[in-house]
Amino acid sequence: MSSSGEERGVVVAEPKPPRGNRSRFAFACAILASMTSIILGYDIGVMSGAAIFIKDDLKLSDVQLEVLMGILNIYSIIGSGAAGRTSDWIGRRYTIVLAGAFFFCGALLMGFATNYPFIMVGRFVAGIGVGYAMMIAPVYTAEVAPASSRGFLSFFPEIFINIGILLGYVSNYFFSKLPEHLGWRFMLGIGAIPSIFLAIGVLAMPESPRWLVLQGRIGDAFKVLDKTSNTKEEAISRLNDIKHAAGILDDMTNDIVVVPKKKTAGKGVWKDLLVRPTPAVRHILIACLGIHLAQQASGIDGVVLYSPTIFSKAGLRSKNDQLLATVAVGVVKTLFIVVRTCVVDRFGRRALLLTSMGGMFISLTSLGTSLTVINKNPEQTIKWAIGLSVTTVMTFVATFSIGAGPVTWVYCSEIFPVRLRAQGASLGVMLNRLMSGIIGMTFLSLSKGLTIGGAFFLFAGVAVAAWVFFFTFLPETRGVALEEIESLFGSYSANKKNNVTSKGKEVVDEL
């Protein structure tokens, strides 16, 4: 490393790599990091069907059931709040291992639960794992991936979350054939198995190059960048950008260097993020919190967690039909995530968010209308309204999955400066989980207070407000190097010109 330091001490123009030239090593790293998301998704999805049987077996009230469903996300705030500092301390890779350990213990506790307090302890442990996983997987993937494929690879956590949700739905359907007191325990307990494979897989992962630079391990960082970049010149350019962002001078070219104290181990981060942020950082923080708030307040967890209940209100009476329809929701959600992953770097983040939220508004309004018609005619079977309800649930999760679902994690994992990224991303996750928990813990009560159709009209209103926020405040980040993205913010307008020129390199990004 040090022998070629002089070459690395200057900025080398980064040639634009061919679009199809994805780094296989970066691809593999993203898959391994995203394995936590399968377990996370399974924990979320499996409770949707398991709740039906838990309520009957443990004789729970609606309020107890709501708390059980939504509390996982409230507990996850603890994990997401600790994840930023933990990942700065022990590294991104071992933080992923820690998340897997919490998942393993939580699944076992829930599977062996004999009463309501016991299962709540299991939800608490699993919730901490959820918080860790939701923060660290997108951050790690964004930091490993080159700019040319960062959007593609950063979608992996969201894809794997949806695969996990789908597996949870499928588990509900098959284990529902067992006796009631055994079925839900198998549904929850089997989630411990993937955690073992995760712990083994992480051994093959490198550490994040940006975390290595913050520890002064320049030589190790370059080795990772060399493996995850399309060309050696790109690896050199990425290393220079990271060093500059970390406050390391270009002439510091040894394998191990001393990082300026302010830049080490997250010290001073909260002051720079919350107390005295620059205009750009303040804009970034507002963008991150706003997009996370919009993602959850538009009602996605009401659908994911309560699909069987919604289908019951829509006229599907048997538990078997409700669970099959819920599996269909999981299939649609996953398929549209995969399709969108393949084109995210072609269309950009902003266009996907606007298209997604517009489609969600139409779906929520139609779903609210059809459920209202069914609710007002309880003695009649209104086939068109039943069909519209089932269809619009599918279109809602489809439109959510093309933008608001995955792009939220991609966008917020890439917009923060490197020194603020872990803590900034964790703040977004904390708000995301808080809103998710609120929706999960109030959906049944909200449906009774406003009627179930009224609840979805409320979510539609949130979708309109979110569309205006996205259009006004969020600049495009597609194709921009992580170290250059900060310059897009600060004007509180999405119309700031996205031609970024820095240190002899120009990145042109289309709005």
Side-chain angles (χ1 to χ4, degrees), residues 461-479:
V462 173
V464 171
W467 193 95
V468 173
F469 176 80
F470 294 166
F471 183 82
T472 306
F473 285 96
L474 304 186
E476 181 57 72
T477 61
R478 175 173 61 96

Side-chain angles (χ1 to χ4, degrees), residues 316-357:
L316 301 182
R317 300 306 177 194
S318 76
K319 289 181 179 178
N320 191 66
D321 289 345
Q322 293 165 16
L323 292 176
L324 275 176
T326 301
V327 170
V329 170
V331 170
V332 170
K333 198 168 186 293
T334 303
L335 285 177
F336 274 83
I337 285 282
V338 172
V339 169
R340 186 47 58 204
T341 298
C342 297
V343 296
V344 61
D345 285 321
R346 181 177 304 172
F347 292 105
R349 285 61 157 156
R350 179 176 156 85
L352 294 181
L353 284 169
L354 292 172
T355 302
S356 171
M357 199 55 70

Side-chain angles (χ1 to χ4, degrees), residues 480-499:
V480 182
L482 287 180
E483 286 67 37
E484 305 293 346
I485 288 177
E486 184 180 0
S487 62
L488 301 176
F489 291 83
S491 65
Y492 296 95
S493 170
N495 297 319
K496 187 174 182 180
K497 191 176 181 182
N498 274 10
N499 291 339

Side-chain angles (χ1 to χ4, degrees), residues 307-317 322 370-371 374-375 386 389 444 447-448 452:
S307 287
T309 301
I310 294 170
F311 289 129
S312 173
K313 298 288 186 182
L316 301 182
R317 300 306 177 194
Q322 293 165 16
S370 60
L371 289 172
I374 293 171
N375 189 54
I386 295 173
S389 295
L444 294 179
S447 298
K448 289 180 180 179
I452 191 164

Side-chain angles (χ1 to χ4, degrees), residues 242-426:
I242 298 169
K243 286 171 61 179
H244 182 267
I248 299 174
L249 300 177
D250 286 341
D251 59 3
M252 299 174 70
T253 58
N254 293 328
D255 286 356
I256 304 293
V257 302
V258 177
V259 181
K261 186 176 181 181
K262 186 181 178 183
K263 304 289 183 177
T264 304
K267 295 179 181 178
V269 165
W270 293 114
K271 181 184 292 184
D272 292 346
L273 191 61
L274 299 176
V275 180
R276 283 185 282 185
T278 64
V281 170
R282 186 181 295 111
H283 185 185
I284 288 171
L285 185 61
I286 292 172
C288 176
L289 296 179
I291 193 173
H292 274 293
L293 177 67
Q295 187 203 54
Q296 290 300 325
S298 53
I300 185 60
D301 270 14
V303 173
V304 170
L305 292 175
Y306 293 99
S307 287
T309 301
I310 294 170
F311 289 129
S312 173
K313 298 288 186 182
L316 301 182
R317 300 306 177 194
S318 76
K319 289 181 179 178
N320 191 66
D321 289 345
Q322 293 165 16
L323 292 176
L324 275 176
T326 301
V327 170
V329 170
V331 170
V332 170
K333 198 168 186 293
T334 303
L335 285 177
F336 274 83
I337 285 282
V338 172
V339 169
R340 186 47 58 204
T341 298
C342 297
V343 296
V344 61
D345 285 321
R346 181 177 304 172
F347 292 105
R349 285 61 157 156
R350 179 176 156 85
L352 294 181
L353 284 169
L354 292 172
T355 302
S356 171
M357 199 55 70
M360 288 165 62
F361 166 73
I362 295 172
S363 298
L364 288 166
T365 303
S366 301
L367 179 58
T369 301
S370 60
L371 289 172
T372 299
V373 170
I374 293 171
N375 189 54
K376 289 186 176 181
N377 299 275
E379 304 300 324
Q380 302 180 38
T381 301
I382 306 175
K383 293 184 177 179
W384 70 265
I386 295 173
L388 182 61
S389 295
V390 174
T391 300
T392 49
V393 168
M394 303 298 175
T395 58
F396 173 68
V397 297
T399 51
F400 175 86
S401 298
I402 66 172
V407 174
T408 295
W409 302 104
V410 175
Y411 198 85
C412 293
S413 67
E414 66 186 8
I415 58 177
F416 285 98
V418 62
R419 196 173 71 86
L420 308 179
R421 186 169 298 131
Q423 282 85 349
S426 70

Side-chain angles (χ1 to χ4, degrees), residues 26 29 139-146 206-210 224-225 228 238:
C29 291
V139 167
Y140 176 87
T141 303
E143 291 186 343
V144 168
E207 184 51 83
S208 159
R210 286 169 175 83
V224 177
L225 290 169
T228 58
R238 290 174 67 190

